[in-house]
Amino acid sequence: QIQLVESGGGSVQAGGSLRLSCAASGYSTTSLCMGWFRQAPGKEREAVATIDKANKPTYADSAKGRFIISKDNFKGTLHLTMNSLKPEDTAMYYCAAEHPSSRPTCPKDGPSNYWGQGTQVTVSS
């Protein structure tokens, strides 16, 4: 069983930065497709960024140029560095992982088998 625990959320003013972390246990992150999702009140959950086994990242258009996803396989931790934050980035952010498999890439819609409890990000104008 893979367990994911997020941290690093908080409140920040527009233009500021935050770094989210997700500690994974139960399986080596080296062999996992992982990603970050977010859900704002009244909106559907959306993928923000994913990273495959080869550490190739994929970003939503809203995250391109501002967010960086990275994986520290030695520590078993996934990160999301968020810069130039905007009020519309306000949401609950979730870490996710796909069930281990032989496929090298992430599923089209990103990982979805394991989820963390979420960490709140609030950006004020």
Side-chain angles (χ1 to χ4, degrees), residues 64-110:
K64 287 178 181 176
R66 299 189 300 128
F67 294 2
I68 300 172
I69 188 170
S70 60
K71 205 172 14 152
D72 184 335
N73 291 321
F74 181 75
K75 294 184 178 179
T77 306
L78 180 73
H79 298 287
L80 184 69
T81 302
M82 305 185 292
N83 301 310
S84 303
L85 282 162
K86 305 174 183 180
E88 50 263 45
D89 294 319
T90 296
M92 185 71 79
Y93 283 72
Y94 298 91
C95 172
E98 188 68 4
H99 193 75
S101 71
S102 59
R103 63 180 295 173
T105 58
C106 288
K108 176 179 176 292
D109 295 328

Side-chain angles (χ1 to χ4, degrees), residues 27-33 53 71 73 98-101 103:
Y27 208 87
S28 171
T29 55
T30 304
S31 302
L32 293 176
C33 159
K53 294 179 184 179
K71 205 172 14 152
N73 291 321
E98 188 68 4
H99 193 75
S101 71
R103 63 180 295 173

Side-chain angles (χ1 to χ4, degrees), residues 30-73:
T30 304
S31 302
L32 293 176
C33 159
M34 299 185 74
W36 289 97
F37 291 73
R38 68 186 182 187
Q39 187 168 19
K43 295 188 177 181
E44 292 187 356
R45 185 176 58 200
E46 61 176 356
V48 176
T50 60
I51 187 165
D52 66 15
K53 294 179 184 179
N55 283 341
K56 179 182 176 182
T58 302
Y59 297 98
D61 287 343
S62 59
K64 287 178 181 176
R66 299 189 300 128
F67 294 2
I68 300 172
I69 188 170
S70 60
K71 205 172 14 152
D72 184 335
N73 291 321

